Amino acid sequence: MLEYLKIFLLLVTCIIILLTLSRLNTKNITRGVQGFLLSSLVLTIFLAIVIKIKPHHFLRNNFSISNLITYTFYFLLVGLYFIKNYKTIFQHKYLLIIITFMLFGLANALDLLSDGKLITLGNNEIVEDILHNLGIVSWLLFFADYSKRIKIKYL
């Protein structure tokens, strides 16, 4: 149930980003804003794929690739996104993005620690899902706010 909510919220975020891109006047928009929105769209789609397909489970079960390696790859992708777009992020309500990254990080840390049997919670998957959902909600709120602000600036 929570998995479908995550996918739905990520799809809503994609729609917000796409509508923002389509409504902006391309003559006035800077490359930075357009690049930020496009890379955010790609990252949002990537998050939806990771949530739906769960490649870290597939790689662990079928190829004995540790979740730590897979999560390191995820971290590098998000880190590259952050480094590439830090100026744009810090010009807006960046606290929501920081909250998003922290919640996703906590969910991933919980997954890694529970897989390694360092933490045993009876309902760790539910806690992970709740952390992911809260992170996705703050991601969605950031882009809703960003869309509103950017439309005012460029329209």
Side-chain angles (χ1 to χ4, degrees):
M1 174 70 175
L2 289 176
E3 183 176 315
Y4 295 113
L5 178 62
K6 290 188 276 191
I7 298 297
F8 175 76
L9 292 172
L10 287 170
L11 287 175
V12 170
T13 306
C14 285
I15 291 168
I16 289 171
I17 294 170
L18 286 170
L19 287 174
T20 303
L21 277 168
S22 70
R23 297 204 51 190
L24 291 175
N25 185 351
T26 54
K27 294 176 185 173
N28 295 335
I29 191 171
T30 64
R31 281 193 177 276
V33 170
Q34 190 174 22
F36 173 68
L37 287 169
L38 288 173
S39 63
S40 299
L41 179 65
V42 169
L43 185 61
T44 305
I45 292 169
F46 174 75
L47 288 171
I49 290 170
V50 166
I51 287 168
K52 186 63 182 159
I53 297 174
K54 299 184 186 211
H56 52 283
H57 290 184
F58 174 77
L59 292 171
R60 183 187 64 213
N61 294 337
N62 295 328
F63 299 106
S64 298
I65 296 175
S66 165
N67 277 357
L68 181 61
I69 293 171
T70 309
Y71 280 131
T72 301
F73 175 72
Y74 296 165
F75 176 76
L76 289 173
L77 285 177
V78 172
L80 287 172
Y81 167 82
F82 185 76
I83 290 169
K84 182 181 181 301
N85 297 300
Y86 76 93
K87 288 181 182 176
T88 305
I89 290 170
F90 284 119
Q91 290 174 352
H92 298 279
K93 291 191 176 181
Y94 60 89
L95 185 60
L96 288 170
I97 289 285
I98 291 172
I99 290 170
T100 299
F101 291 151
M102 286 174 55
L103 290 167
F104 286 155
L106 285 172
N108 293 341
L110 179 62
D111 189 30
L112 283 172
L113 292 172
S114 64
D115 283 348
K117 306 294 187 246
L118 297 173
I119 289 180
T120 54
L121 296 175
N123 299 323
N124 67 325
E125 289 187 16
I126 293 173
V127 175
E128 284 178 45
D129 282 342
I130 290 170
L131 290 170
H132 278 134
N133 279 326
L134 291 172
I136 291 168
V137 166
S138 63
W139 183 255
L140 178 115
L141 290 174
F142 174 82
F143 283 104
D145 180 68
Y146 181 79
S147 173
K148 181 179 72 173
R149 290 173 187 267
I150 210 72
K151 285 178 190 174
I152 291 169
K153 185 175 181 181
Y154 288 106
L155 290 180

